Amino acid sequence: MKTTYIITIILFGILFAACKQEKKESLKNYMIGSWQTEYLKIEMPTINKTDSTSVFEDNFNKPNTGRAQSAYKNDGTFKAWFKQPDGKKVGETNGRWKTRNDSLYVDYPYLGKQVQVWYKIKKTTEGFEGKVIYDWDNDGEFDDTLIMKTKRIKL
C-alpha cells in the first residue's frame, strides 16, 4: 500500500513537471517569425535636458496607417521595416537579436546610430509586449521608457 502511494506521487510529479515544461516555450523559439507593432508609447521625462516630459504615442490599428513590421530568423538575424498604407516597404534595416530569460536583445543601425537595446518581453495571446528604458531622445540620459505591443503576422 505504501509503495503504491509513493509510486502514484512520483508519477503525478513527473506528469506535472512534463506538462509544465511543455507549456513553457523558450523566448527564442517564440520570437522566430514575423511581427507587427500595433501600439507604441515613448515617455521622455527630460527631453532636451529640461524637466519637461514629452510623450509620443501611436496606435497603428487605425485605417490607412503605416505599420512597423519585422521578421526574426533562427540564425539570430532580423529585418525591420515600415509598411506604408499602399503596401510599399520603407526604412528597411537589418540587425542581430538574441534572448536571455524574459529579455530580447536587439542590435541594429537606425538614422546613422547603432542601437543596442534589451527589451523585457511579456508574451500575450496575439504576440508580445516589450518594455525598455533607453535614451530615445538622445539627450544623454537613459531615462526614456518605450512600451510596444505587437502581434504575430504572416508575410
Side-chain angles (χ1 to χ4, degrees):
M1 176 78 170
K2 193 173 186 180
T3 306
T4 305
Y5 178 73
I6 291 172
I7 291 172
T8 303
I9 289 187
I10 290 171
L11 288 175
F12 179 75
I14 291 170
L15 179 64
F16 179 75
C19 289
K20 196 162 180 110
Q21 286 176 351
E22 212 173 282
K23 281 186 170 184
K24 189 170 181 168
E25 178 183 20
S26 75
L27 182 57
K28 181 180 186 220
N29 289 338
Y30 188 77
M31 289 304 303
I32 296 169
S34 301
W35 302 94
Q36 178 170 287
T37 302
E38 298 293 301
Y39 172 81
L40 181 72
K41 181 178 181 180
I42 305 173
E43 292 183 14
M44 298 168 278
T46 59
I47 192 156
N48 299 322
K49 300 219 180 241
T50 67
D51 61 357
S52 297
T53 298
S54 178
V55 177
F56 171 83
E57 190 170 15
D58 207 345
N59 184 336
F60 299 102
N61 285 323
K62 301 171 193 162
N64 297 319
T65 302
R67 306 271 196 251
Q69 297 180 336
S70 57
Y72 289 75
K73 294 183 180 180
N74 192 31
D75 67 0
T77 63
F78 75 93
K79 286 184 185 268
W81 60 89
F82 194 77
K83 186 175 180 182
Q84 295 180 327
D86 65 3
K88 189 178 189 180
K89 283 184 183 180
V90 296
E92 190 168 334
T93 189
N94 296 307
R96 303 224 23 101
W97 71 280
K98 63 183 176 182
T99 61
R100 192 163 112 205
N101 299 323
D102 65 350
S103 296
L104 168 67
Y105 173 80
V106 292
D107 183 359
Y108 62 96
Y110 182 71
L111 298 176
K113 180 179 170 184
Q114 195 65 25
V115 178
Q116 298 175 324
V117 187
W118 282 100
Y119 289 90
K120 181 171 172 72
I121 300 297
K122 178 183 168 192
K123 296 176 188 177
T124 64
T125 54
E126 286 191 329
F128 67 86
E129 292 180 15
K131 182 177 180 181
V132 63
I133 297 175
Y134 191 73
D135 182 18
W136 294 110
D137 59 3
N138 295 311
D139 67 356
E141 301 289 331
F142 284 77
D143 60 352
D144 309 320
T145 303
L146 178 145
I147 297 170
M148 70 175 163
K149 296 178 182 179
T150 68
K151 73 175 183 180
R152 189 177 294 277
I153 59 171
K154 292 183 182 182
L155 296 178

